[in-house]
Amino acid sequence: MLNDYTNNGHIVKFNENPLAILVVTPIMQRAHTLAFSKDIAFVDSTSSCDTQSHSVTFMLTSCGIGAVPLGMFITKGQTTDDYKAAFTLLKDSVPCSFGGHGFPKQFIIDDSEAERQALRAIWPESSIFLCRFHVLQSVWRWLWDSKHDIRNEDRKLLFKLFQTILNASNNSSASEAYSIAIEVWCLAFRDASVHGNQTNNFSEVNVRIFKDIVLSRNKAYNAVALVDFFCTSLEEYYLRRLRTFVNSRNDTARLLFQDQLKRYINKNAIEKLPNNLFKVPSETNSGFYEVDVTYECCNCSKRNLGAFCNHQAAVYHHFNTSMPNLPAITVNCRLLLAKLAFGEHVPDKLFYMPLVCKSDSDKINESLNEATPGNYEKNEPSCCKIPTTLTNQALEVDSNSNSEYYAEQIQELFKSNLERYTSSTSVSVLSKCLDRLKKVKSAASWESFMSTAGSNISLRHRTRATIRVQPTAINRRKLGITRGSKRLPLGRPLNADINRKRKEKNLGENVQKNVPNAKSRGTGH
């Protein structure tokens, strides 16, 4: 069985004492060639995936679709020795791992001491950072623990003071305020190579994907069955997800870019400096920020840790300058993700080019503008165009003063369409239209006919238009199911009354209300 996986390109290695199994599928092997894999990796563990309660550990890196695994590990427990055995298998089995560097610049993990010690032992060159959210959540729970006797009115103040240290802008100010293992969780000790990732959310999401979609919330029989799920179902899931993205069936990256461009910055206000630097004005005050294209960062207060911001969006929008942190909206990004999914057996770059060959910035600029009739005329076939003489005359005529002119246009278009499409139109449709015309006996009924004729034909093109649901289908749905046209939710169904209010698991709101954060629902989910 092991040879079957190897023949299909999978790397499956194991260690007997302590038990550790490594699985690296073809997509995971290609993920090690991504540019971000040498900078950052996320590690998280979960359990209760099989009847023997083995621990499953995910190691991931970020990419255009969110995150992809670099390797999957199965261990007997979650001790330091278990993790060391598993991580050693990856280090020995994938020699050109992490972009050829052999180690990432930094790991982001939850506050697991065993994970931290194992990662430091196997990859001592890498920095280890804690997930920002889990640090804040732990502090808030500590403040609410009755054993520490923290007064209710002091909790918010203490939490805000800790947040100030966490978000300190430089190392010295942070170290002056707090010095206990501060480099592990304080943002001042991180740089642009984290690419804006301060939490371990990618790992949390992938744990749920594995349990909800791959395992369908059913435990596998044993560790061997888990290996098979890794090599088949999980690999197919990421293949589908990548294929959906590279085939332009996912608009997340484009919408993210458009959202940043909403705060539009004029090109004339941007000053180009030497060494790939751009001086971009602030949209809220009279200050300026510097965008460094080489080091893929901006020195604005919120985006100086490698995250994509509106200042970088403005530089790309106006100067078409390549940036590593740019959302995956270019043809080259789609080609890179296609190679991640399919290896080298991908179509030529021309396959991923638009039908009308333009630069990436031109395409994005056009997508930001609202559709106008003039834009559609350029792409319409000649048989569907209104004669230019009629169009030019229409611009010169006041619509309120000359209704006869529009009547002539309608007659001409109606006549030309009848000549063009009558042979392909069913007799029943023509008969129904004739019957409706015969029913017109007054000016009001004529206006009603003119207003509703062709009402199902959209006046403008919409990408990703929703497939509507019949009203009777909505009425048959159970309570708690969406009442619109969205996909029905996947995962575990609601077992309890949907009106029962649970304590909100929103750390920011709970801090503001000065109430405890919702407790975890136990372990091993």
Side-chain angles (χ1 to χ4, degrees):
M1 184 176 180
L2 192 60
N3 292 332
D4 293 337
Y5 294 130
T6 304
N7 294 336
N8 289 325
H10 302 275
I11 297 176
V12 181
K13 302 290 184 180
F14 66 92
N15 184 75
E16 292 186 359
N17 190 20
L19 176 65
I21 303 174
L22 165 71
V23 178
V24 185
T25 66
I27 287 181
M28 299 178 194
Q29 295 173 43
R30 293 189 287 269
H32 280 275
T33 64
L34 294 175
F36 283 8
S37 65
K38 70 180 186 300
D39 291 332
I40 188 168
F42 308 89
V43 181
D44 196 15
S45 298
T46 186
S47 58
S48 295
C49 292
D50 67 334
T51 56
Q52 298 174 350
S53 296
H54 287 98
S55 176
V56 176
T57 302
F58 297 78
M59 184 176 289
L60 310 109
T61 190
S62 58
C63 69
I65 64 167
V68 288
L70 296 169
M72 305 288 293
F73 310 92
I74 302 174
T75 55
K76 188 64 178 176
Q78 296 182 1
T79 65
T80 302
D81 291 337
D82 291 328
Y83 286 127
K84 282 183 179 180
F87 296 154
T88 301
L89 290 175
L90 177 64
K91 186 175 182 179
D92 296 340
S93 303
V94 188
C96 296
S97 58
F98 303 105
H101 287 218
F103 60 91
K105 187 174 181 180
Q106 56 246 323
F107 288 100
I108 292 185
I109 65 172
D110 294 345
D111 192 10
S112 170
E113 185 62 28
E115 272 184 17
R116 193 186 318 173
Q117 291 181 7
L119 290 171
R120 187 172 287 119
I122 305 303
W123 292 289
E125 306 91 343
S126 303
S127 301
I128 299 175
F129 297 135
L130 296 183
C131 170
R132 180 175 181 267
F133 168 77
H134 286 89
V135 170
L136 292 173
Q137 181 176 251
S138 299
V139 170
W140 188 242
R141 286 179 177 172
W142 187 92
L143 291 173
W144 272 94
D145 194 333
S146 59
K147 294 185 295 185
H148 302 131
D149 294 328
I150 306 297
R151 293 188 302 174
N152 188 48
E153 59 270 19
D154 294 336
R155 291 190 178 108
K156 284 182 66 175
L157 175 61
L158 292 172
F159 187 83
K160 295 295 182 184
L161 291 173
F162 180 82
Q163 272 190 312
T164 303
I165 303 172
L166 180 74
N167 298 320
S169 58
N170 56 71
N171 300 0
S172 58
S173 60
S175 300
E176 289 174 3
Y178 200 91
S179 59
I180 302 176
I182 190 172
E183 68 279 357
V184 176
W185 49 264
C186 182
L187 303 188
F189 291 83
R190 308 182 187 186
D191 56 23
S193 60
V194 298
H195 303 289
N197 296 293
Q198 309 302 337
T199 67
N200 210 16
N201 289 345
F202 282 143
S203 300
E204 303 286 348
V205 170
N206 277 270
V207 168
R208 181 170 181 182
I209 287 172
F210 181 67
K211 290 187 173 182
D212 284 10
I213 298 178
V214 177
L215 296 181
S216 299
R217 306 303 303 187
N218 295 310
K219 290 185 178 182
Y221 183 70
N222 54 20
V224 177
L226 285 176
V227 171
D228 190 64
F229 276 117
F230 292 156
C231 296
T232 55
S233 300
L234 187 64
E235 181 80 349
E236 291 172 1
Y237 169 80
Y238 280 105
L239 182 63
R240 290 194 305 270
R241 188 172 170 186
L242 287 164
R243 183 170 54 212
T244 298
F245 192 92
V246 299
N247 289 341
S248 296
R249 302 296 297 173
N250 187 312
D251 292 332
T252 304
R254 178 177 61 84
L255 295 176
L256 172 63
F257 183 82
Q258 291 182 8
D259 181 67
Q260 295 295 343
L261 277 184
K262 285 180 180 178
R263 297 171 287 277
Y264 187 78
I265 299 175
N266 195 307
K267 181 178 181 179
N268 296 329
I270 301 176
E271 181 182 353
K272 188 173 182 180
L273 304 176
N275 301 322
N276 281 334
L277 292 176
F278 291 86
K279 190 176 181 181
V280 184
S282 171
E283 70 281 4
T284 57
N285 53 54
S286 58
F288 287 86
Y289 299 110
E290 284 189 358
V291 175
D292 191 328
V293 176
T294 304
Y295 292 97
E296 59 207 54
C297 65
C298 174
N299 65 350
C300 60
S301 58
K302 295 183 179 179
R303 308 297 185 189
N304 57 355
L305 292 175
F308 188 71
C309 65
N310 58 308
H311 308 111
Q312 298 177 54
V315 171
Y316 177 81
H317 178 67
H318 293 302
F319 296 92
N320 197 22
T321 305
S322 176
M323 296 183 187
N325 287 329
L326 183 73
I329 54 178
T330 64
V331 174
N332 289 332
C333 289
R334 291 172 58 197
L335 180 62
L336 178 64
L337 292 175
K339 290 182 178 180
L340 174 62
F342 308 109
E344 295 300 324
H345 305 289
V346 295
D348 189 73
K349 183 178 179 179
L350 291 174
F351 178 81
Y352 299 101
M353 296 288 287
L355 295 178
V356 179
C357 188
K358 298 175 183 176
S359 67
D360 292 316
S361 58
D362 289 340
K363 290 182 292 178
I364 296 166
N365 295 347
E366 288 188 1
S367 67
L368 298 177
N369 298 326
E370 291 187 358
T372 60
N375 291 339
Y376 292 118
E377 281 185 19
K378 298 177 183 178
N379 298 324
E380 285 181 344
S382 58
C383 63
C384 299
K385 288 186 179 180
I386 300 174
T388 55
T389 55
L390 295 178
T391 307
N392 294 335
Q393 292 173 11
L395 296 175
E396 301 172 359
V397 179
D398 185 359
S399 60
N400 295 324
S401 61
N402 199 343
S403 59
E404 294 181 359
Y405 171 75
Y406 291 102
E408 291 177 2
Q409 282 198 41
I410 293 171
Q411 290 177 9
E412 184 172 340
L413 288 172
F414 205 89
K415 182 179 179 181
S416 63
N417 284 327
L418 280 174
E419 294 174 353
R420 189 181 300 119
Y421 303 120
T422 298
S423 59
S424 59
T425 306
S426 64
V427 177
S428 60
V429 172
L430 294 172
S431 175
K432 186 180 293 185
C433 181
L434 180 61
D435 291 340
R436 287 176 178 172
L437 282 170
K438 290 179 179 179
K439 296 289 184 181
V440 175
K441 303 294 184 181
S442 63
S445 59
W446 174 246
E447 284 191 3
S448 177
F449 177 83
M450 296 293 291
S451 300
T452 57
S455 58
N456 290 330
I457 300 176
S458 177
L459 295 179
R460 70 184 186 93
H461 176 69
R462 290 181 59 199
T463 58
R464 310 291 185 271
T466 304
I467 300 175
R468 298 296 178 184
V469 180
Q470 294 182 0
T472 53
I474 295 177
N475 293 333
R476 290 194 298 268
R477 290 179 179 174
K478 297 179 181 179
L479 292 176
I481 303 298
T482 174
R483 312 299 290 176
S485 300
K486 295 182 179 179
R487 283 185 61 185
L488 297 182
L490 300 175
R492 291 173 290 180
L494 293 172
N495 294 325
D497 183 6
I498 61 171
N499 293 322
R500 192 182 76 178
K501 290 187 177 180
R502 280 184 173 180
K503 190 180 294 182
E504 289 290 337
K505 200 168 185 177
N506 187 316
L507 183 61
E509 290 186 7
N510 290 333
V511 170
Q512 195 66 28
K513 297 175 182 177
N514 198 17
V515 296
N517 199 40
K519 292 183 179 179
S520 173
R521 305 296 170 187
T523 58
H525 292 302

